[in-house]
Amino acid sequence: FYIPSIKTAIEVQGSHHFDGSRCFGHPEIYEITVERDKRKVELCNQNGIEIVYFTNVNIHESQDYLGHLFTTSEALITYLKSL
């Protein structure tokens, strides 16, 4: 999702963005997914767009490149209202 008025993109992330063993039976897809996610961050940064993430997955390992990561809709909404 993209909110032009606050130049913010919201990406909903499933478990395959955080855990290579959950990539539909193909762990190599995890590496492709991570590289694609990093590219999205790069493109957003180049265009002055903040990208934030929402997931319902319990995150055991942080992904450095992911910046703002929210696991509840309330926290995400509160953050967006602060922009």
Side-chain angles (χ1 to χ4, degrees):
F1 305 96
Y2 178 62
I3 306 171
S5 60
I6 57 174
K7 293 193 80 170
T8 300
I10 302 169
E11 179 135 341
V12 179
Q13 304 284 45
S15 61
H16 61 284
H17 290 265
F18 307 103
D19 182 356
S21 68
R22 305 212 40 177
C23 284
F24 315 107
H26 301 281
E28 67 277 5
I29 293 175
Y30 174 72
E31 294 300 322
I32 294 168
T33 300
V34 168
E35 289 306 313
R36 187 174 43 232
D37 288 344
K38 288 179 180 179
R39 180 72 176 136
K40 287 177 196 173
V41 169
E42 182 181 306
L43 289 170
C44 284
N45 288 339
Q46 289 174 359
N47 289 285
I49 297 169
E50 179 175 11
I51 186 166
V52 298
Y53 301 90
F54 178 77
T55 187
N56 64 350
V57 177
N58 283 333
I59 307 301
H60 300 289
E61 287 186 36
S62 176
Q63 302 292 350
D64 299 1
Y65 63 90
L66 284 183
H68 291 100
L69 177 66
F70 300 94
T71 57
T72 67
S73 56
E74 293 83 6
L76 175 60
I77 291 167
T78 298
Y79 178 75
L80 293 174
K81 285 182 177 180
S82 75
L83 299 177

